[in-house]
């Protein structure tokens, strides 16, 4: 039985969440809220979603017992939820399929998305191609340079990629620009947000579409290990892969939920992307109230992480809530620690993880060391690292 | 009665429509802002909308985004904007000042402290783009308790039932956003706007201002004929952007003269 019952009817998780948008978007969000309420329990909609997850994405994604890594670390057994094996290489596709099916039912022929590393952009372009929807992806011009292969992928899939030149030219600015597009084209456009942030109903809806990760994991752990893990570890930028795996575990007692933020060069340097770990103040950005990295004037400050997908100054409102009610704990991993974990998984298990997921792996190693060999840590391996090889090579001064 | 409402009443008696120019505080340089405000008033501004710079101005087009960026180079935050209003008030106690900005700078100060400081600076109204009425009940009460008018936006997508909800919280005036999109966006359809303004008037006695998309004398005149106030933002900021330190005040004055003549001719 699901006891946890958040958010409230207006999208609040305690003081977090809500609908902080310009007036022009209020009706569009209301329309979305009503349509999502209508379809979230609709058997036909859910059947279509499940069909695509199975046949197009390749779900269920397996759980893999990383034996050599566990032995090397010397502590708890580490299991990996293999979201990296999904079509398009990350968990992002789960959510874009859900939202695109909704867009189709709402009669919106055009979808837009923001993207940082490009994974959500690729996932959106993919489902748009499959459903015959026009697709425009906003991407900070800095990220366009850093993630050229994903830009090309999106173009191959028929999407228009718009480089965003404003502000810090990264993910948050891409989100601003997507909002501006939406406010202008709200009559024919569905905005597919890629994470558990944004105005209500997005944080809830994205969580629900990603919850398939945790639902599968619960059944698979029972089958493989005969019990649930002692800890579930996932990386947190906006927090969609973490919410996806945490959500079905919220009511399960004795399962620690650990969100891993990007500590960048170190929390103490200020060059990080870890609002929860750094105890950033509460504020309002991108339609919701949450913990936000900002200066004393309330201006959003620039973030840093080696992983573009974690490079975001805020965090989904439900994570802010889970932190406050102490149901989940939040920690941070530096660039260097994540890189070490990246190489470690490559060499010991033959899996190249995304740099985002490498943050979760790095913390899982630390945590497993403190636990006994008969305990279990489940890591959400949210994506594969092919997209990151240029970054990794550059850090090692290797020219490809 | 608030300074905003009494200004509207006076204009109404004279059969006139208010002209409300928008500038971003600190653009192009913080030392020019107060003088620019006085220039606006000397050349026909009935009220001033003063933009509070924000790092992530989601509802603004490129022109006002760049104004925010220019101001932020000089670290112009909400605190310094309030200081500018204080200085302006030393020589102008008559012209209503309406702050326009985003929620987070207010959240950073805290709604109660902000309302206190806005009152101390003698601010008349506050527009917060991303505080829809459902999310800012407490904030509206703090403002109203200090006789500061919470001004709300209405948009082409706002249903009549929502207009009712919004005008219950609003005071001073309501601001009809004349088109879907960001500030400075394309052409406005005057007939459509006239229809909406007429419909809004059946739901409230508050004056109705119209903004977004007013870019020249012709659109200003056409809008003045159907609204109680004409708000000119991006066009004003463009004039600032195109100026240098020598001709800044003269260019802004010339644009104001042109707009004022158009609004008065309506």
């Amino acid at each position: 039985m699901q006891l946890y019952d958040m958010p409230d009817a207006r999208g609040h998780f305690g003081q977090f969440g809500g609908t902080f948008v310009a007036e022009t978007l209020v009706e569009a969000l209301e329309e979305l809220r009503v349509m999502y309420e209508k379809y979230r329990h609709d058997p036909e909609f859910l059947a279509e979603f499940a069909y695509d997850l199975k046949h197009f994405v390749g779900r269920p994604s397996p759980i893999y017992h990383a034996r050599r890594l566990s032995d090397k670390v010397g502590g708890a057994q580490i299991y990996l939820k293999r979201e990296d094996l999904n079509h398009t290489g990350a968990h992002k596709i789960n959510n874009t399929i859900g939202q695109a099916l909704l867009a189709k039912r709402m009669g919106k022929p055009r979808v837009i998305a923001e993207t940082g590393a490009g994974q959500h952009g690729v996932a959106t372009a993919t489902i748009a191609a499959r459903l015959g929807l026009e697709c425009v992806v906003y991407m900070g011009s800095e990220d366009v340079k850093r993630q050229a292969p994903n830009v090309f992928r999106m173009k191959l899939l028929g999407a228009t990629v718009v480089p965003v030149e404003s502000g810090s030219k990264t993910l948050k600015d891409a989100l601003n620009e997507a909002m501006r597009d939406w406010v202008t084209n709200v009559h024919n456009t569905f905005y597919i947000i890629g994470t558990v942030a944004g105005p209500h109903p997005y944080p809830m809806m994205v969580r629900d579409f990603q919850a398939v990760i945790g639902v599968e994991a619960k059944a698979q752990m029972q089958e493989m290990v005969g019990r649930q893990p002692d800890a579930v570890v996932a990386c947190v930028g906006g927090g969609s892969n973490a919410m996806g795996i945490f959500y079905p575990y919220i009511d399960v007692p004795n399962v620690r939920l650990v969100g891993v933020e990007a500590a960048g060069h170190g929390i103490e340097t200020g060059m990080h992307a870890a609002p929860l770990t750094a105890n950033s103040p509460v504020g309002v950005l991108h339609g919701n109230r949450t913990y936000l990295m900002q200066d004393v004037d309330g201006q959003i400050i620039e973030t840093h992480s080696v992983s573009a997908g974690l490079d975001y100054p805020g965090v989904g409102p439900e994570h802010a809530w889970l932190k406050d009610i102490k149901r989940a704990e939040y920690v941070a991993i530096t660039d260097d620690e994540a890189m070490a974990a990246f190489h470690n998984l490559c060499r010991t298990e033959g899996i190249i993880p995304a740099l985002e997921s490498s943050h979760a792996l790095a913390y899982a190693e630390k945590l497993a060391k403190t636990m006994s060999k008969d305990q279990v840590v489940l890591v959400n391996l949210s994506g594969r690292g092919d997209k990151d090889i240029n970054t990794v090579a550059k850090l090692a001064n290797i020219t490809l | 009665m608030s300074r905003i409402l009494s200004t509207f009443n006076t204009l109404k008696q004279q059969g006139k429509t208010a002209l409300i120019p928008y500038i971003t505080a600190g653009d192009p340089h913080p030392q020019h802002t107060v003088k620019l405000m006085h220039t606006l008033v000397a050349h026909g501004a009935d009220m001033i909308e003063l933009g509070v710079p924000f790092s992530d101005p989601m509802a603004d087009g490129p022109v006002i985004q760049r104004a925010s960026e220019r101001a932020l180079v000089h670290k112009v935050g909400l605190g310094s904007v309030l200081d500018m209003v204080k200085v302006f008030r030393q020589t102008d106690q008559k012209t209503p000042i309406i702050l326009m900005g985003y929620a987070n700078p207010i959240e950073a100060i805290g709604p109660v402290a902000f309302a206190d400081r806005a009152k101390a600076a003698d601010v008349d109204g506050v527009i917060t783009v991303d505080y829809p009425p459902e999310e800012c009940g407490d904030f509206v009460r703090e403002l109203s308790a200090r006789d500061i008018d919470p001004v709300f936006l209405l948009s082409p997508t706002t249903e009549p039932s929502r207009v009712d909800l919004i005008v219950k919280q609003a005071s001073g005036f309501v601001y009809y956003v004349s088109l879907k999109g960001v500030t400075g966006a394309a052409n406005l359809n005057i007939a459509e706007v006239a229809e909406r303004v007429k419909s809004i008037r059946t739901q409230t006695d508050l004056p109705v201002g119209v903004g977004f998309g007013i870019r020249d004398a012709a659109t200003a005149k056409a809008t003045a004929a159907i609204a109680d106030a004409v708000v000119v933002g991006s066009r004003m900021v463009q004039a600032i952007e195109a100026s240098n330190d020598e001709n800044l005040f003269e260019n802004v004055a010339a644009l104001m003269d042109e707009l004022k003549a158009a609004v008065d001719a309506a």
Side-chain angles (χ1 to χ4, degrees):
Chain A
M1 190 179 68
Q2 191 84 6
L3 300 169
Y4 177 84
D5 185 24
M6 283 295 203
D8 69 13
R10 307 201 30 76
H12 295 106
F13 302 87
Q15 66 165 318
F16 306 108
T19 314
F20 294 88
V21 293
E23 179 58 28
T24 309
L25 290 179
V26 170
E27 285 297 325
L29 287 163
E30 179 61 13
E31 183 194 3
L32 178 60
R33 192 187 64 75
V34 168
M35 293 301 270
Y36 182 58
E37 279 307 319
K38 179 176 167 189
Y39 287 114
R40 64 188 297 202
H41 302 299
D42 177 65
E44 206 176 301
F45 177 81
L46 293 174
E48 194 177 345
F49 183 45
Y51 181 92
D52 270 3
L53 290 180
K54 182 176 176 187
H55 297 278
F56 189 61
V57 178
R59 304 202 70 90
S61 66
I63 283 189
Y64 169 75
H65 184 187
R67 285 199 180 81
R68 273 173 40 86
L69 178 66
S70 306
D71 287 349
K72 189 175 173 189
V73 168
Q77 300 306 305
I78 298 172
Y79 285 76
L80 308 176
K81 177 65 172 161
R82 298 290 308 274
E83 292 298 299
D84 60 315
L85 294 176
N86 291 341
H87 180 40
T88 72
H91 71 290
K92 292 289 186 189
I93 190 81
N94 303 327
N95 166 53
T96 60
I97 289 179
Q99 290 196 47
L101 292 178
L102 206 53
K104 211 176 74 173
R105 276 170 171 71
M106 290 171 71
K108 308 275 184 185
R110 181 175 180 267
V111 295
I112 57 172
E114 83 295 340
T115 198
Q119 290 306 103
H120 174 60
V122 168
T124 304
T126 298
I127 190 63
R130 157 133 162 60
L131 296 177
L133 302 167
E134 182 191 345
C135 178
V136 176
V137 179
Y138 291 93
M139 189 168 185
S141 59
E142 280 301 312
D143 291 332
V144 168
K145 275 184 242 158
R146 290 193 287 194
Q147 308 286 340
N150 269 344
V151 174
F152 189 58
R153 268 184 203 109
M154 288 183 263
K155 288 181 179 170
L156 286 175
L157 292 159
T160 305
V161 180
V162 181
V164 176
E165 301 287 351
S166 57
S168 60
K169 304 177 175 59
T170 59
L171 177 59
K172 79 173 175 71
D173 310 285
L175 229 150
N176 294 339
E177 207 56 37
M179 287 272 190
R180 291 179 188 121
D181 178 314
W182 200 30
V183 93
T184 308
N185 301 299
V186 62
H187 55 287
N188 74 342
T189 297
F190 189 107
Y191 180 14
I192 300 188
I193 292 185
T195 192
V196 285
H200 182 63
Y202 283 101
M204 172 180 82
M205 182 170 69
V206 176
R207 172 199 74 193
D208 293 349
F209 289 143
Q210 292 292 2
V212 64
I213 304 172
V215 169
E216 284 175 6
K218 266 169 93 174
Q220 290 165 317
M221 289 308 292
Q222 196 59 45
E223 198 176 305
M224 281 181 82
V225 192
R227 66 182 183 91
Q228 296 305 328
D230 299 284
V232 176
V233 181
C235 64
V236 176
S240 69
N241 89 79
M243 262 336 293
I245 198 164
F246 287 179
Y247 183 55
Y249 277 109
I250 290 177
D251 283 334
V252 181
N254 306 320
V255 177
R256 281 173 70 183
L257 304 177
V258 187
V260 185
E261 297 186 302
H265 294 319
I267 299 286
E268 69 290 349
T269 66
M271 307 247 321
H272 60 84
L276 294 176
T277 313
N279 292 315
S280 297
V282 173
V284 166
L285 182 71
H286 295 150
N288 65 96
R289 183 178 275 133
T290 188
Y291 290 110
L292 271 183
M293 291 174 60
Q294 54 184 304
D295 68 13
V296 289
D297 285 331
Q299 312 295 352
I300 308 308
I301 55 179
E302 290 195 22
T303 52
H304 169 80
S305 169
V306 68
S307 139
L310 301 183
D311 217 347
Y312 182 69
V315 63
E318 194 161 14
H319 285 295
W321 170 247
L322 291 177
K323 181 193 178 197
D324 275 19
I325 64 166
K326 298 187 164 58
R327 178 59 189 95
E329 12 180 339
Y330 294 88
V331 297
I333 283 293
T334 65
D335 287 352
D336 291 346
E337 291 170 320
M339 288 308 303
F342 171 90
H343 290 296
N344 211 11
L345 194 73
C346 290
R347 298 292 179 91
T348 57
E349 297 289 352
I351 297 171
I352 302 177
L355 289 179
E356 290 78 10
S357 323
S358 298
H359 287 72
L361 289 164
Y363 189 73
E365 290 183 18
K366 281 191 188 178
L367 183 63
K369 272 192 194 112
T370 68
M371 296 163 70
S372 66
K373 281 192 193 315
D374 57 353
Q375 288 186 295
V376 173
V377 174
L378 174 64
V379 180
N380 196 12
L381 191 65
S382 54
R384 66 176 184 228
D386 307 47
K387 69 181 173 63
D388 295 316
I389 56 172
N390 287 321
T391 308
V392 175
K394 204 171 158 192
L395 284 171
N397 281 318
I398 297 166
T399 313
L400 294 181
Chain B
M1 184 185 295
S2 79
R3 205 184 257 133
I4 292 175
L5 265 188
S6 68
T7 302
F8 273 113
N9 284 346
T10 308
L11 288 167
K12 200 171 181 182
Q13 283 159 13
Q14 301 166 350
K16 284 182 171 175
T17 301
L19 174 59
I20 311 181
Y22 166 99
I23 59 172
T24 300
D27 172 39
H29 191 284
Q31 74 190 22
H32 294 323
T33 301
V34 172
K35 193 176 166 194
L36 269 176
M37 292 166 74
H38 289 305
T39 305
L40 295 172
V41 175
H43 292 267
D46 298 297
M47 309 179 205
I48 294 173
E49 220 178 273
L50 190 60
V52 181
F54 183 48
S55 53
D56 295 78
M58 272 161 292
D60 286 300
V63 172
I64 294 180
Q65 287 174 44
R66 287 196 298 268
S68 244
E69 285 174 14
R70 285 191 293 271
L72 287 175
V73 168
H74 303 287
K75 308 240 176 273
V76 177
L78 184 47
S80 23
V81 177
L82 291 170
D83 290 341
M84 291 173 188
V85 176
K86 255 186 204 159
V87 176
F88 172 82
R89 279 278 177 253
Q90 289 169 1
T91 47
D92 186 330
Q93 291 89 41
K94 182 174 154 283
T95 311
I97 301 296
I98 302 142
L99 297 187
M100 180 162 186
Y102 293 81
N104 202 52
I106 293 170
E107 300 252 318
I109 293 180
V112 175
F114 167 75
D116 282 339
R117 289 173 64 178
K119 185 67 192 171
D122 212 354
V123 163
D124 300 286
V126 177
I127 303 172
T128 312
V129 176
D130 50 353
Y131 264 164
E134 292 90 340
E135 297 286 6
C136 67
D138 293 345
F139 180 57
V140 165
R141 276 186 287 282
E142 296 299 338
L143 292 181
S144 302
R146 291 163 181 80
D147 295 314
I148 299 172
D149 289 318
V151 176
F152 283 95
L153 304 179
L154 300 173
S155 90
T157 59
T158 308
E159 299 285 338
S161 58
R162 240 187 102 68
V163 173
D164 272 340
L165 173 97
I166 293 170
V167 298
K168 270 191 203 120
Q169 301 236 32
S171 62
F173 69 105
V174 289
Y175 181 156
Y176 181 66
V177 172
S178 57
L179 39 84
K180 283 180 263 180
V182 293
T183 52
N187 302 323
L188 81 169
N189 178 334
I190 287 288
E192 229 174 77
V193 175
E195 197 60 34
R196 275 314 299 268
V197 170
K198 210 170 124 189
S199 144
I200 291 165
R201 287 193 201 284
T202 65
Q203 295 183 260
T204 181
D205 293 331
L206 288 172
V208 182
V210 171
F212 283 39
I214 296 157
R215 51 186 59 244
D216 52 22
T219 43
K221 186 179 170 188
T223 307
I226 55 166
D228 299 303
V230 176
V231 186
V232 183
S234 294
R235 180 66 191 88
M236 198 59 61
V237 172
Q238 263 168 357
I240 292 170
E241 188 170 42
S243 302
N244 55 39
D245 276 6
E246 271 81 64
N247 60 20
L248 172 67
F249 300 99
E250 166 191 337
N251 289 351
V252 167
L255 176 62
M256 280 301 294
D257 289 341
E258 189 190 334
L259 294 168
K260 185 66 176 176
V263 167
D264 280 351

